[in-house]
Amino acid sequence: MSTKTALKQAREQIGKKDFAEAVKSCQRVLDFEPDNYNANVFLGLSLMNLGQLDEAEAAYKSAVEKDAGQVLAWQGLWNLYEKKQNVEEYIRTSETLMTLFMESDDHDKCAQTHEKLAAFIKEHGSTPQRVQVHSLILPSSPYYTLLEGRVFQPSLTLTRIVELLEPWESDTIKREIAKRRSRLGANISKINGEVRLEVFAQSKLDEYYQQLIDWTDDDEIRRATEVKLFDRAYQVLLVLPLGGQKGEKRAQVAEMARGMVILHAPVELAWTIHLEWADVGDISQFDVNVLREFVALFPDNGLAKTIDAYLSSELSPFPPVPVVEGDVPRPQQSSEDILDAMLDAIADAPKSPLAIRLLAAYYLHLKDHQSASETARSAMESAKQLSTETGTSLVNTQTALMLVLGLSYVYYQTPKNHPQAKMLFEKVLGAYPDCVPALVGLGHIQREAGAVREALELMRQAVGVDESYIEARMEASWCEVLLENYEEGLGGLMYCLDQLEDEPDSAVTRERMGECHWRIGHGIWLSKPQERGKRDGAYASFITALRKNPNYAPAYTSLGVFYADVAADEDRALRCFQKAFELDAGEVDAAERLASGFAEVRDWELVEVVARRVVSSNHTQSWPQRALGVVELNNRNYNKAIGHFQQALRGDVGDVNSWVGLGEAYSSSGRYVAASKAFKRAEQLDPGNWFAKYLFANVEKEMGNYENAADAFRAVLETRPGEFGVLVSLAETLVAWAWELIHDGFFARAAECAVKALETVRSVEEGKRVGSVGLWKVVGDACGVFMQVQSHADAFPLVLLKELFEVKDVDAEEVIDGVAELSLEGVGDVDKALRASVAAFKRNVKLTAGDRYAHSAAWYNLGWADHRLATHLGVPASKDSPVVEAFKHAIKGEAKNENYWNAFGIVLGEVSPSIAQHAFIRALHLNPKSATIWTNLGTLYLIQGDLELANEVYSRAQSIDPEYVQAWVGQAFVAMALGEEDEARDLFEHAVEISGASFMTANYHFGTTVWEQLAAAGKKGVRGLTSPIFALQKFVEQKPFDAYALQLQAHLLERAGDYVRASERLRKACEILEAEYEETEDVGVLKRFVGCKADLGRCLLAVKEYEAAIEECTTALDLSADDEKTYEKARLSAHLSAGLGQYYLGALQDSLAMFQQALTEANGDPDVVVLLSKVLWAIGGEEEREVARAQLFESIEAYPDHLGSVLLLGTTALVDGNEDVRDAVLAELQDDKFSADRRRNGLDLKHEVEKFLAAVAVTQGKDPKRIWTNAVHINPGSTRLWNELAKTVPGDEGAKIREAAKNVAEKEVGVGAEELAMAHEAAGEIQRGIWVAPWMHV
């Protein structure tokens, strides 16, 4: 079949709608002619009808490729795409068909194609596609010529396009922004700009706006579209990046705005841009007509309202609007009304650089420099933002704003802002070298900085530029006045005043005239000091200044100085200073005088108000910070005070008063080292500042450096003799020093300090002394010192006290009940001191009657003084005693003082334990961290026998304060009560150590416990006795008339081998006991006296005062002869001591009689037998020696373990040559049981057995070295054994053994002083041996 036939057949089949067969027919053709145009067209049509759209599209495209100029295939594709609703391909195919129809000049088919396309796109296309279709019939389209008259007018088409694009663009921008803003780290502002820029870059809306403007015949549409085009250009400008395009667009927008302004088009944005972008250096460069028209066109616009307010102000450089005849003139507005209008307008234009600039200028005009500076900075920021957004250059605007900011900084927060103002003026002058305001402002800064001559040059330069600028001439004249060129300066000021009087009356003119009058007055004040009192001189100028300007602060300050320094009218002066400071916080002179006046009357709240306001104005002067420091110091906010004083010193490091205040704040907060440094610095800066020295001395006192403090106070008194406060502090320091010396054990110095304190009190002027609470407390405390240093009570200055009290004896009213009848003349020194203390504190009670807390403290002090006196006199405690009443008064006055409750509990401890416990618990509730109160509570429990609870409370006190002595002493008493003697001794010893042996109770009981243990164990050792002897020494220094303590110390000294001091203590004890017995005739005192006499005789025997020893012992025996049993031990000691004394004096018969009597009273005591035997043997007769042997045999039979008896018997056998007795003694001594008992019981501390055995060895011709060697092996810690061994070894070996003996002695804890001394001497160290035990060589 031929191609034609097949094509014909296919056409017929298509006509019959037999599309399947038609497809086959077309395929047969294409098999032979693949590029057959008609076959591909028929195939595409058939396949499309069969629903095989993709295959149909391929067939059509094959046909188009064969011949693109034929319409048939394109129409097939067109219908195919319509069926597929492929909008993009449908549009493209439609444009192709329209082009083909246009080429064939087929108007109708071209119009029909577009009409069908428009209908299809309206139903299925997007907004951009619809715009694309509409644009095909615009004049810019190639089809417009062919279709003109057959389609809509271009203005209608463009209107439709604009209506489609405007909402679509808006929606697209919103949608894209919403999508991007959800991204992580998104910047909303940046996203807005990017999205708008992208949309605007792809949009042709501005082109359509322009075409619509060109084609429309409707003026309203044209004007509205022009506005839209302008707004569109402005929006594009805002999002364009900096660069060439932005500059071009900015020029376009500016030109469009200018055109609209010229045409008086009421387009608010255009007018705003035209004004905001106008980069003028001065407001006068604006066209006032444009400004007024803008205000008229847009009366509700924020910028317009600001301009309107500015134009109606006196600051406006433009002439007022002439009033047309018949019109109502605009009412004159006040400055406040204009400012309010501007502020209201700014709320509607918060980012308008021009509006804010006008407001800043007006603030500056009103001299509201703070607001002017803040507003100028805001305007500069807005101008900078406008330049960034639009690319507009606003250099002149920024320069003008810098000038406003600089001028405001000249007066705001001076001189803090002066460096920044200077920098701003220099920038302004760099752009405009002849800018007069900048020159004046810079000159003002130089003047304030003290560079008056440089300021004068700048002012003269400004006058040279503009002679009519009154402010420049005024400033130049003022500089002349400050340079003391009074004639020229005052002449210039008078000239300025004449010029100002010729100017129209206004608020600014009046202010300038007021300032000019004040400067003239100040110039007169400075130039004619002798005429300051005249009312027609400076005073008249100050008054005139205030008449011209009632709010001119410097004039009030000057008037205040006049009233204060000349007229001596403090009330008026104060009112003037207050007014000046109210008007201007920068009036520092007025503020300082005001603060000083308030400080004098101690109105610290007003001082703080003044100082804080000055500080807020950022003045760099130091006194406001110093004043705030004083305020905080008085408010006890010490850390804040320190901060203020430090701030003051940063401003003026040489401010002595600030250093003093800083030191005082440091001292009050407990930072004494820092305070000391501050006071020393103040003294370096001002060596004559006695107050700094006084405070330094107080710090030394608070730090406990009482000696340095006293010296410092005395140094102050050299320059300020009789200064009351210094004398009081010195007296207090001396008393505190005395109590510290007592604590340290220096009792003589303590008494001396107390006397000096009383002498210091006497040196105070009588009128001040009588009514001084502090001084009477010093008197009371100083007198109380003598209670603690009774050994120096004779130093009590009774005559001085009488002078202080102004009476011969203390009145009965001034001593406690029960002792009023006792006179100072008839009592001991301690009694006198205690009574004077009570009297002093009673005076304090009277003096403090008007001060609740001081009165309570006075009662408290009186209570303790009463308590000490009552205790000393033995007055029994009772619930209604004056002591209890005093503490009750103290508690009533201040119930929350734990010390008062504690004292109340102490005095009631024995009288009413339950009330005492309540008092202690109440005190602990107020202060649970007080070791003192816990200890007192423990003592109460100890007295009541609750040892477990007492021990627990004492432990609690120790945990709070481990160095509180009383807690350890109390726990020691608990241990004693429980029978734990070693524990008690250790606790007493610890208490003595931590107290420095200043606590009497600890000292006494430490000595007592040590003696009791020594007496029980019979031990002897100097190292173990040093501490208790020292403790008792401190006790007897405080209580020198305590016979028991003296005897106890003598016992310990005797054990230590210090017989001389022991004898001294016993003599004094005997004197005290004898006096006491003569007064009381108490049998117990007599027994103690007899014992002391016997002990004294024994100690005198030790120091070889035999006659004195015999005398003392004889006295003891005589006094105790009537009751031998009661005085058994004392009599035995006296018999033995007297017998030994007589023995050493050679009175052997008398000695024998004494020993026989002792033996009789001792009932055969073996020690007495030994002594008697020695005396009998010494007599030398055979009969006496036989008696001695008989006595020894009888004693050994009765006491077979008595070592002394065995050794003495063996010694007599050696002398007699009786080998049988000697051998028997040797057998007994060498018995293992006997040797073990001897070592265990410490029966032979001097190793007498080894000496006997060595003597036996020598008599037998044997070497005694073996004896001593065996002894050293058994007891290697014995120095005596090592020394004895050394004696048996000659040469270097003996020297080595002696060195070993010395080393053992030095390390042995229990070694005696004599033994240690012998070890040193044996080793060749003679001087050291003498130093250890000097009594051995007496």
Side-chain angles (χ1 to χ4, degrees):
M1 183 181 294
S2 65
T3 301
K4 272 188 185 179
T5 304
L7 289 172
K8 183 177 180 182
Q9 186 178 1
R11 186 182 296 111
E12 291 175 353
Q13 292 168 344
I14 291 170
K16 296 177 181 180
K17 298 188 179 181
D18 189 358
F19 300 114
E21 291 299 324
V23 170
K24 295 177 181 179
S25 298
C26 293
Q27 290 291 351
R28 286 195 290 271
V29 175
L30 294 172
D31 289 340
F32 293 100
E33 294 183 34
D35 296 332
N36 189 289
Y37 181 85
N38 290 327
N40 279 311
V41 171
F42 292 158
L43 178 61
L45 179 61
S46 300
L47 289 171
M48 184 177 68
N49 285 290
L50 289 173
Q52 301 177 24
L53 302 181
D54 294 337
E55 292 81 353
E57 182 178 4
Y60 282 133
K61 287 183 177 180
S62 297
V64 169
E65 291 176 359
K66 176 62 177 175
D67 188 357
Q70 291 195 39
V71 177
L72 190 59
W74 285 109
Q75 287 180 329
L77 281 172
W78 191 48
N79 293 327
L80 174 68
Y81 289 140
E82 182 181 10
K83 192 170 186 179
K84 290 178 71 175
Q85 294 186 4
N86 189 335
V87 178
E88 289 294 334
E89 290 299 326
Y90 189 76
I91 294 173
R92 186 178 64 80
T93 306
S94 298
E95 290 183 2
T96 303
L97 286 172
M98 290 177 68
T99 302
L100 293 175
F101 292 142
M102 181 183 66
E103 292 174 351
S104 63
D105 200 25
D106 191 341
H107 302 78
D108 294 332
K109 287 187 177 181
C110 184
Q112 291 171 3
T113 301
H114 181 269
E115 184 177 351
K116 188 176 180 182
L117 171 63
F120 176 81
I121 293 301
K122 183 176 182 180
E123 183 177 356
H124 301 291
S126 63
T127 298
Q129 291 169 340
R130 294 174 67 184
V131 171
Q132 181 181 356
V133 171
H134 285 306
S135 65
L136 295 176
I137 58 175
L138 290 176
S140 57
S141 171
Y143 311 116
Y144 180 76
T145 304
L146 180 67
L147 298 176
E148 188 176 9
R150 297 176 180 269
V151 294
F152 293 112
Q153 290 290 329
S155 60
L156 296 177
T157 303
L158 287 166
T159 299
R160 184 58 182 154
I161 290 174
V162 168
E163 290 174 350
L164 288 171
L165 279 179
E166 285 177 345
W168 178 81
E169 280 192 4
S170 177
D171 293 341
T172 301
I173 291 171
K174 291 179 182 178
R175 184 171 59 254
E176 190 62 25
I177 289 174
K179 182 173 69 175
R180 296 188 188 184
R181 71 187 302 171
S182 61
R183 296 175 183 173
L184 186 64
N187 186 310
I188 304 302
S189 178
K190 185 177 179 181
I191 289 173
N192 286 342
E194 290 175 350
V195 171
R196 290 178 183 277
L197 183 61
E198 292 173 7
V199 173
F200 292 161
Q202 298 173 4
S203 175
K204 294 183 179 180
L205 185 57
D206 48 352
E207 297 179 9
Y208 294 134
Y209 282 146
Q210 188 60 54
Q211 292 181 36
L212 180 57
I213 292 170
D214 295 339
W215 283 95
T216 185
D217 295 329
D218 191 327
D219 290 339
E220 291 186 6
I221 293 177
R222 181 183 296 105
R223 283 194 294 271
T225 307
E226 286 176 347
V227 173
K228 289 182 178 180
L229 178 61
F230 172 70
D231 185 68
R232 176 71 170 197
Y234 180 69
Q235 293 298 325
V236 172
L237 172 65
L238 294 180
V239 298
L240 281 173
L242 292 173
Q245 289 185 352
K246 194 176 189 76
E248 294 175 1
K249 182 61 71 174
R250 181 191 57 76
Q252 177 189 351
V253 172
E255 185 60 29
M256 294 173 70
R258 190 179 70 84
M260 290 183 177
V261 170
I262 292 173
L263 295 174
H264 310 288
V267 181
E268 187 173 333
L269 179 61
W271 286 81
T272 301
I273 287 175
H274 181 69
L275 295 175
E276 295 283 11
W277 292 12
D279 186 26
V280 297
D282 191 271
I283 301 299
S284 62
Q285 295 174 351
F286 277 108
D287 185 343
V288 66
N289 295 319
V290 173
L291 296 176
R292 288 173 176 157
E293 187 174 358
F294 175 60
V295 171
L297 287 173
F298 312 105
D300 296 327
N301 179 274
L303 175 59
K305 290 189 287 186
T306 304
I307 293 174
D308 184 41
Y310 181 82
L311 292 177
S312 62
S313 71
E314 65 274 20
L315 185 61
S316 173
F318 308 109
V321 180
V323 179
V324 180
E325 188 176 351
D327 292 346
V328 178
R330 186 171 184 174
Q332 185 70 28
Q333 290 182 295
S334 65
S335 300
E336 291 77 9
D337 295 336
I338 294 172
L339 181 59
D340 290 341
M342 283 189 169
L343 291 173
D344 292 340
I346 288 295
D348 297 329
K351 294 184 179 181
S352 169
L354 179 57
I356 303 174
R357 174 183 175 181
L358 295 175
L359 178 60
Y362 197 67
Y363 271 133
L364 184 64
H365 172 70
L366 297 177
K367 295 189 177 181
D368 187 349
H369 300 111
Q370 178 179 355
S371 299
S373 63
E374 294 171 356
T375 309
R377 285 198 300 270
S378 176
M380 292 174 72
E381 189 62 31
S382 296
K384 181 180 178 181
Q385 184 177 355
L386 179 61
S387 295
T388 302
E389 292 177 351
T390 65
T392 303
S393 175
L394 298 175
V395 176
N396 294 326
T397 300
Q398 290 283 17
T399 302
L401 289 170
M402 282 192 287
L403 179 61
V404 173
L405 183 60
L407 291 172
S408 63
Y409 278 164
V410 168
Y411 301 98
Y412 174 56
Q413 291 188 347
T414 59
K416 173 185 174 182
N417 287 328
H418 279 180
Q420 192 170 355
K422 184 177 180 181
M423 179 188 68
L424 293 169
F425 288 140
E426 288 173 349
K427 288 183 178 180
V428 172
L429 292 172
Y432 303 101
D434 293 333
C435 181
V436 174
L439 289 170
V440 173
L442 190 58
H444 184 94
I445 292 173
Q446 295 285 14
R447 173 168 57 79
E448 288 294 318
V452 182
R453 295 192 182 278
E454 291 79 354
L456 179 58
E457 292 300 322
L458 289 169
M459 299 303 179
R460 286 174 176 173
Q461 183 181 346
V463 172
V465 174
D466 185 0
E467 293 186 356
S468 64
Y469 199 78
I470 295 297
E471 187 175 354
R473 190 175 293 276
M474 278 180 63
E475 291 294 335
S477 301
W478 180 236
C479 289
E480 295 282 6
V481 171
L482 296 179
L483 290 172
E484 299 183 1
N485 300 326
Y486 298 119
E487 185 175 352
E488 295 181 13
L490 291 174
L493 290 172
M494 294 298 296
Y495 173 80
C496 293
L497 187 60
D498 292 339
Q499 296 296 315
L500 289 170
E501 289 177 351
D502 293 337
E503 290 187 2
D505 183 49
S506 67
V508 174
T509 302
R510 290 192 296 272
E511 288 178 3
R512 288 181 177 177
M513 291 179 69
E515 183 178 10
C516 194
H517 277 292
W518 174 78
R519 288 183 172 181
I520 290 171
H522 198 70
I524 296 172
W525 180 274
L526 295 175
S527 62
K528 299 178 181 180
Q530 69 280 2
E531 298 181 4
R532 290 178 180 177
K534 294 183 177 181
R535 299 280 176 155
D536 58 350
Y539 173 81
S541 295
F542 298 149
I543 295 295
T544 306
L546 291 176
R547 287 173 180 166
K548 294 294 183 182
N549 183 7
N551 296 323
Y552 191 59
Y556 283 106
T557 301
S558 296
L559 271 180
V561 172
F562 172 83
Y563 286 128
D565 298 348
V566 178
D569 191 340
E570 292 296 334
D571 291 337
R572 284 190 176 183
L574 185 62
R575 287 198 295 270
C576 288
F577 291 138
Q578 283 180 320
K579 184 64 175 180
F581 189 62
E582 289 172 3
L583 292 171
D584 183 5
E587 282 299 303
V588 183
D589 293 338
E592 186 172 8
R593 285 179 176 256
L594 201 58
S596 299
F598 291 143
E600 288 178 1
V601 296
R602 305 186 69 80
D603 193 339
W604 301 114
E605 291 185 3
L606 291 178
V607 173
E608 182 178 10
V609 170
V610 172
R612 289 198 183 283
R613 190 175 175 195
V614 175
V615 169
S616 66
S617 65
N618 287 300
H619 279 275
T620 59
Q621 294 188 354
S622 63
W623 74 262
Q625 291 289 352
R626 184 175 70 243
L628 288 174
V630 173
V631 170
E632 297 297 350
L633 199 59
N634 280 277
N635 293 335
R636 299 185 180 181
N637 299 324
Y638 302 122
N639 289 331
K640 290 183 178 180
I642 289 169
H644 286 302
F645 285 126
Q646 289 175 337
Q647 190 69 25
L649 289 170
R650 291 190 188 101
D652 183 5
V653 73
D655 185 0
V656 176
N657 292 329
S658 293
W659 281 110
V660 172
L662 179 62
E664 194 170 355
Y666 276 139
S667 175
S668 300
S669 62
R671 298 161 67 177
Y672 299 119
V673 175
S676 179
K677 292 179 180 179
F679 290 135
K680 286 181 179 178
R681 179 60 177 162
E683 188 175 352
Q684 290 173 359
L685 292 170
D686 184 7
N689 192 320
W690 70 272
F691 191 64
K693 296 178 181 178
Y694 166 72
L695 293 177
F696 171 75
N698 270 327
V699 170
E700 290 292 314
K701 181 180 74 171
E702 294 297 331
M703 293 172 66
N705 301 328
Y706 298 116
E707 186 171 5
N708 294 340
D711 291 341
F713 283 129
R714 292 189 185 101
V716 175
L717 289 171
E718 290 178 1
T719 57
R720 302 281 297 185
E723 185 67 40
F724 177 72
V726 182
L727 288 170
V728 172
S729 297
L730 175 58
E732 291 173 346
T733 302
L734 290 169
V735 169
W737 191 10
W739 286 103
E740 183 187 59
L741 289 170
I742 290 173
H743 182 271
D744 295 339
F746 301 107
F747 304 121
R749 295 179 61 192
E752 181 183 354
C753 282
V755 172
K756 288 182 179 179
L758 293 171
E759 290 173 349
T760 303
V761 173
R762 182 178 59 181
S763 67
V764 178
E765 183 181 339
E766 183 177 351
K768 296 179 179 179
R769 183 181 68 218
V770 172
S772 173
V773 174
L775 285 179
W776 285 114
K777 185 179 185 303
V778 168
V779 172
D781 290 338
C783 292
V785 168
F786 291 94
M787 173 70 176
Q788 304 297 324
V789 291
Q790 296 182 20
S791 59
H792 302 280
D794 55 349
F796 179 67
L798 178 60
V799 176
L800 190 153
L801 262 295
K802 290 180 178 179
E803 292 181 20
L804 294 178
F805 285 104
E806 300 177 343
V807 293
K808 182 176 181 181
D809 294 332
V810 176
D811 295 337
E813 295 180 357
E814 295 177 329
V815 294
I816 64 172
D817 295 343
V819 295
E821 67 279 3
L822 297 177
S823 169
L824 288 182
E825 297 296 341
V827 297
D829 290 334
V830 176
D831 292 352
K832 296 172 185 176
L834 292 177
R835 293 170 188 272
S837 177
V838 170
F841 286 124
K842 282 200 171 185
R843 291 210 171 181
N844 253 2
V845 170
K846 296 176 183 178
L847 291 172
T848 58
D851 187 334
R852 172 185 169 187
Y853 295 107
H855 197 53
S856 297
W859 276 112
Y860 173 74
N861 292 328
L862 176 60
W864 277 123
D866 281 340
H867 179 65
R868 286 192 293 267
L869 180 57
T871 303
H872 179 74
L873 297 175
V875 178
S878 63
K879 291 184 179 180
D880 55 353
S881 67
V883 179
V884 175
E885 291 300 319
F887 289 131
K888 282 182 179 179
H889 281 295
I891 292 172
K892 289 177 182 178
E894 189 178 354
K896 292 186 178 181
N897 190 311
E898 69 274 12
N899 294 322
Y900 301 168
W901 285 104
N902 177 56
F904 192 56
I906 291 173
V907 298
L908 289 175
E910 297 181 5
V911 178
S912 178
S914 59
I915 297 177
Q917 182 185 31
H918 170 75
F920 288 136
I921 293 174
R922 181 65 183 272
L924 287 172
H925 175 72
L926 295 170
N927 183 9
K929 297 295 183 182
S930 173
T932 302
I933 302 172
W934 281 107
T935 301
N936 292 334
L937 180 61
T939 304
L940 177 66
Y941 293 144
L942 177 63
I943 294 172
Q944 299 304 312
D946 194 338
L947 302 181
E948 183 179 356
L949 187 56
N951 191 59
E952 182 180 344
V953 173
Y954 285 136
S955 299
R956 178 70 176 272
Q958 292 165 5
S959 66
I960 294 173
D961 184 0
E963 295 188 357
Y964 188 63
V965 181
Q966 286 85 337
W968 296 98
V969 172
Q971 199 168 45
F973 283 128
V974 173
M976 288 179 64
L978 294 173
E980 300 174 356
E981 296 179 359
D982 291 339
E983 178 70 14
R985 168 181 170 160
D986 292 341
L987 289 168
F988 280 128
E989 184 175 12
H990 180 69
V992 170
E993 290 174 353
I994 63 176
S995 68
S998 63
F999 189 54
M1000 291 193 298
T1001 304
N1003 293 338
Y1004 181 79
H1005 286 281
F1006 177 43
T1008 301
T1009 54
V1010 170
W1011 168 247
E1012 289 175 353
Q1013 289 183 339
L1014 287 173
K1019 295 179 181 178
K1020 182 177 180 182
V1022 68
R1023 293 191 180 179
L1025 298 178
T1026 303
S1027 294
I1029 289 173
F1030 177 75
L1032 286 170
Q1033 176 62 30
K1034 291 299 179 183
F1035 179 86
V1036 297
E1037 287 180 6
Q1038 291 178 281
K1039 296 193 71 175
F1041 302 106
D1042 191 319
Y1044 301 97
L1046 289 167
Q1047 188 178 14
L1048 179 61
Q1049 188 188 23
H1051 287 161
L1052 295 176
L1053 288 168
E1054 182 183 6
R1055 284 297 183 97
D1058 191 349
Y1059 304 111
V1060 176
R1061 290 177 63 200
S1063 301
E1064 293 174 355
R1065 297 294 182 271
L1066 289 168
R1067 278 198 181 97
K1068 188 171 183 180
C1070 288
E1071 292 173 1
I1072 295 170
L1073 291 170
E1074 184 178 5
E1076 186 177 353
Y1077 179 73
E1078 290 177 354
E1079 183 179 348
T1080 63
E1081 296 185 356
D1082 186 274
V1083 177
V1085 175
L1086 178 60
K1087 182 178 180 181
R1088 197 81 180 186
F1089 176 69
V1090 171
C1092 279
K1093 282 290 185 178
D1095 293 340
L1096 177 58
R1098 187 173 61 251
C1099 290
L1100 290 172
L1101 178 68
V1103 296
K1104 300 180 182 180
E1105 295 183 13
Y1106 303 127
E1107 294 180 356
I1110 294 170
E1111 181 182 353
E1112 298 296 339
C1113 291
T1114 303
T1115 302
L1117 292 170
D1118 292 342
L1119 291 172
S1120 60
D1122 296 336
D1123 189 358
E1124 295 180 358
K1125 189 171 183 62
T1126 302
Y1127 303 99
E1128 180 179 354
K1129 289 185 179 181
R1131 288 181 62 79
L1132 177 60
S1133 175
H1135 277 119
L1136 294 175
S1137 299
L1140 288 171
Q1142 291 165 344
Y1143 171 77
Y1144 288 122
L1145 288 174
L1148 298 181
Q1149 293 299 330
D1150 294 337
S1151 174
L1152 179 60
M1154 279 291 180
F1155 286 131
Q1156 288 176 339
Q1157 184 66 29
L1159 185 61
T1160 302
E1161 294 187 10
N1163 296 321
D1165 186 283
D1167 290 325
V1168 178
V1169 171
V1170 169
L1171 291 172
L1172 177 60
S1173 298
K1174 287 181 180 180
V1175 173
L1176 289 170
W1177 194 270
I1179 292 174
E1182 183 59 34
E1183 184 180 350
E1184 287 81 2
R1185 291 186 179 184
E1186 187 61 33
V1187 173
R1189 292 189 193 98
Q1191 291 288 338
L1192 287 173
F1193 277 119
E1194 291 178 5
S1195 179
I1196 291 172
E1197 185 178 356
Y1199 302 98
D1201 295 332
H1202 190 263
L1203 181 60
S1205 300
V1206 174
L1207 285 174
L1208 183 57
L1209 181 61
T1211 302
T1212 60
L1214 280 178
V1215 174
D1216 291 340
N1218 190 337
E1219 295 181 358
D1220 293 336
V1221 175
R1222 181 197 67 187
D1223 293 340
V1225 171
L1226 285 174
E1228 180 71 19
L1229 293 175
Q1230 291 173 347
D1231 182 70
D1232 292 339
K1233 181 179 182 301
F1234 187 86
S1235 299
D1237 290 342
R1238 176 168 63 93
R1239 288 192 300 271
R1240 180 173 62 253
N1241 298 323
L1243 300 176
D1244 189 17
L1245 297 177
K1246 293 186 178 182
H1247 307 287
E1248 298 293 342
V1249 173
E1250 281 75 13
K1251 291 180 182 178
F1252 175 76
L1253 295 176
V1256 172
V1258 171
T1259 60
Q1260 294 177 345
K1262 299 178 182 179
D1263 188 356
K1265 177 180 178 182
R1266 182 182 59 83
I1267 301 297
W1268 295 112
T1269 302
N1270 291 336
V1272 166
H1273 281 300
I1274 295 173
N1275 189 2
S1278 173
T1279 305
R1280 291 179 181 271
L1281 292 177
W1282 283 98
N1283 281 326
E1284 293 294 338
L1285 177 61
K1287 294 177 182 178
T1288 65
V1289 180
D1292 295 338
E1293 290 296 325
K1296 291 181 180 178
I1297 295 174
R1298 285 190 291 273
E1299 184 67 25
K1302 185 193 73 171
N1303 294 334
V1304 170
E1306 289 178 342
K1307 296 178 181 178
E1308 182 64 27
V1309 174
V1311 70
E1314 295 179 358
E1315 188 175 348
L1316 179 61
M1318 288 188 293
H1320 281 293
E1321 291 174 7
E1325 298 176 353
I1326 306 299
Q1327 290 182 340
R1328 182 167 294 184
I1330 294 173
W1331 180 82
V1332 172
W1335 58 85
M1336 292 175 60
H1337 303 277
V1338 176

